[in-house]
Amino acid sequence: MGYSKDQLLARLKELQIDFSQYEHPVVLTVEAQAKYVGNVGGALSKNLFLKDKKHRYYVVSALADTKVDMKVLSQRLGLGKGGLRMAPEEALGEILKVPLGCVTPFALVNESASHVSLLLDKGFKTQERCIFHPLSNDMSISLNAFGLDKFLKSIGRDPTYIDLEANPPVGKDQPPDLASLVPLGSTVLPDLPEKTPSQDSSGNHPSAGNNSTAVTAKADKPSSAVQNVKEKSVNGVRPSIPSTDAGKFVEELLDRTSTLLLSEISEDSIKRHGGQLGAEVANNIRKCLREDLKNLATIVKNTAYTEGFYAGTHYQPKRL
Amino acid sequence: MEKVEDQNPQQEEDQVVNPWEVSAKDGGKIDYDKLIDKFGCQRLDQSFVDRVQRLTSRPPHVFLRRGVFFAHRDFNDILDAYERGQKFYLYTGRGPSSEALHLGHLIPFMFTKYLQDAFKVPLVIQLTDDEKCMWKNLSVEESQRLARENAKDIIACGFDISKTFIFSDFDYVGGAFYKNMVKVAKCVTYNKVVGIFGFTGEDHIGKLSFPPVQAVPSFPSSFPHLFSGKDDLRCLIPCAIDQDPYFRMTRDVAPRIGYHKPALIESLFFPALQGETGKMSASDPNSAIYVTDSAKDIKYKVNKHAFTGGQETIEKHRQYGANLEVDIPIKYLNFFLEDDAELEHIKKEYGAGRMLTGEVKKRLIEVLTEIVERHRRARAAVTDEMVDAFMAVRPLPNMFD
């Protein structure tokens, strides 16, 4: 079973996160919630639980009056125009372990939600306090974004605040700016129908017959469409000249020269050139290696200059 | 007299060549003779190549030997002055619109590096992040980020940090640079800029006021930290021929504000893998070889996507030979295979049908893989600190050594 409200509150206290709690009758919408805690001096949040076509899940948590355009968000994540839907009710219970109307960032405390991506409205940071459900809809807690961060970090999450109302263009030269927030694995829920039965419930999920370990994360490769080009270039490539070590540089030069030298001297070439082989090989070495070695030398020069430049811009003037 | 005015590109002119669009007539090939004629620049003939060899005491770059850099303006003046002991500086640039650079993007930089080494002259490299912010509607931060990323690939081409200044417009515009921008802007009427670049009433004022930004690096006084007191220094601009309009405008303005006209040396367009008529596009990774491609990627792209002039069957090929006019592997080898004799041999054998397309492709794959590998190794050695150093506004005391 998932975390309970009391367990969460205890955890918050343990972490010394400053929060206030308000009990009220069960509420299912932000409007209803506003009736009870609209005036306590905190900003109400709206929380969406979304799913994409590859069964990856997202919690989008925003200030109640931030406009969230699902089409735009879908594009910014690199999912195309219609890639995001509201997640089915069953997923709410299975993955977030919360009842309907209770989506909250705190639900990520559950193991079952470990692959859910969390998108936080940067607007939270400008508010004194923000209001969320603490895993059940008969209570609301208000806390500062800082406190939320502390909690998220304690469960191993790196809080990412984004401008949810932004609508940057996405095209061939502008990669989707939120692509890095797409979860790596996909969450597969066995035996779940795609359609959501539209009745309210208090968190009972259909008996898929599984416990929280029903969630299997496939180790998918991130979709190549959003793969950062930069990653490819850094993967597994060692510079042939490590820094400015004179010894290593010289070894590299000598290695290349001897490799070429050895390849040039064979029974065949000895027969062909006889005593002139030396001159011939020397010539070839110059021809073949000149540009390559110059390039290497330039790299070393540039690196040494850069080190000097860095030292120069960071030096502390002599105290007089 | 040089042509400065351009008719509206939509008029009877069928091929379109300007900084933002390059397309041939009826989906055919670009007619370079017509282009030279229309723009009013000069062909770079063999006598130039020989002269460069004489003056620099080294073999001319493969791009010169093969006519990749094929047109110029006043390059002879540069060489004359150089012979008299008067140096010059180089100016080239890049519009950082995407992170992924392909070999076509590297061509002006490879050539510029050769010029820097051969003539021992300094170089300024402009990253037009503002232009891309405006034309591609990127955010300011994103275009600045791309500028820095592209700078790394540019540095990997092997420029000498003690002779090279890289700058981004967002960072550098201001001071003496901006003063020159205003001087230039005052000399170009609204009508003229519309005539040269084809702007319309729908274009925002940012676009209209951009051309001076790309013009003023041609004037040494734009870089007081480098060329203070050297107002007489000439400038040579290696670029692709679609950039010509900016510099036609600059050359028209220069004498009016008391500066030397910059000289230009211009290159052909690099063909897409699918053929001259195909468009190289960032959204089609198979249209070009990227500097991040693995050896496997290169092999795949050349084998599966390169447009060839070979015949459909081996028998036909042996009989008729290959059509070298449209064969992309041959064209790419023309750009990148250093050995003149080997290239001639391949062209002869392939054209006669004695060599098969597969062999030509295999050789191309070797050549391209070596280039991309070398670039990757150099790129891996470029750190953020190195970019900072290249982009720092600092004196370059040894820039002519």
Side-chain angles (χ1 to χ4, degrees), chain A residues 226-249:
Chain A
V226 302
Q227 186 165 28
N228 191 336
V229 169
K230 207 166 41 139
E231 275 174 30
K232 279 167 85 175
S233 67
V234 169
N235 259 345
V237 175
R238 287 172 357 248
S240 58
I241 294 292
S243 75
T244 39
D245 188 313
K248 290 199 184 125
F249 176 50

Side-chain angles (χ1 to χ4, degrees), chain B residues 123-124 165 220 223-228 230 394-396 399:
Chain B
L123 161 68
V124 301
F165 174 54
F223 304 101
H225 65 287
L226 296 178
F227 304 130
S228 166
K230 294 197 178 73
R394 71 213 187 276
L396 299 178
M399 57 180 160

Side-chain angles (χ1 to χ4, degrees), chain B residues 255-326:
Chain B
R256 285 192 264 160
I257 52 181
Y259 293 139
H260 275 307
K261 296 186 196 182
L264 274 89
I265 182 165
E266 296 159 307
S267 72
L268 306 166
F269 300 115
F270 190 63
L273 218 42
Q274 291 93 339
E276 291 268 18
T277 56
K279 270 195 72 174
M280 261 198 298
S281 110
S283 61
D284 179 7
N286 289 322
S287 62
I289 305 289
Y290 287 89
V291 300
T292 45
D293 282 343
S294 65
K296 220 171 92 187
D297 292 330
I298 297 177
K299 186 166 177 199
Y300 169 77
K301 287 186 187 182
V302 171
N303 278 332
K304 285 279 175 305
H305 291 277
F307 184 80
T308 75
Q311 303 295 342
E312 294 109 31
T313 65
I314 297 194
E315 294 76 28
K316 263 183 144 179
H317 184 86
R318 298 264 187 231
Q319 189 174 13
Y320 297 115
N323 179 359
L324 299 183
E325 278 301 301
V326 304

Side-chain angles (χ1 to χ4, degrees), chain A residues 168-169 172-175 228-235 237-241 252 256 287 290-292 294-296 298-299 301-307 309-310 313, chain B residues 58 97-100 113 136-138 142 149 155 158-162 281-283 292-293 297 374 376-381 383 385-386 388-390 392 394-396:
Chain A
K172 60 180 184 180
D173 284 317
Q174 304 99 327
N228 191 336
V229 169
K230 207 166 41 139
E231 275 174 30
K232 279 167 85 175
S233 67
V234 169
N235 259 345
V237 175
R238 287 172 357 248
S240 58
I241 294 292
E252 176 76 28
R256 290 189 191 216
K287 201 168 77 158
R290 180 176 283 122
E291 281 314 308
D292 261 352
K294 268 206 255 178
N295 287 339
L296 287 180
T298 304
I299 293 176
K301 174 180 180 176
N302 288 351
T303 310
Y305 179 111
T306 302
E307 286 177 7
F309 180 78
Y310 184 85
T313 50
Chain B
R58 62 174 74 192
S97 59
S98 62
E99 252 180 286
K113 168 190 151 57
K136 299 277 182 175
N137 199 14
L138 299 173
E142 184 60 9
E149 281 309 308
I155 291 172
F159 294 109
D160 184 333
I161 198 172
S162 66
S281 110
S283 61
T292 45
D293 282 343
D297 292 330
R374 199 185 318 140
R376 251 224 303 284
R377 260 181 271 128
R379 169 72 154 88
T383 58
E385 286 77 26
M386 201 184 279
D388 290 336
F390 264 95
R394 71 213 187 276
L396 299 178

Side-chain angles (χ1 to χ4, degrees), chain A residues 111-141:
Chain A
E111 184 60 45
S112 50
S114 59
H115 286 287
V116 175
S117 177
L118 177 64
L119 280 68
L120 296 166
D121 186 351
K122 73 173 208 259
F124 285 143
K125 287 194 174 258
T126 61
Q127 299 294 324
E128 263 298 331
R129 282 167 168 264
C130 308
I131 300 178
F132 305 96
H133 282 309
L135 303 180
S136 102
N137 347 29
D138 59 3
M139 181 187 278
S140 300
I141 55 174

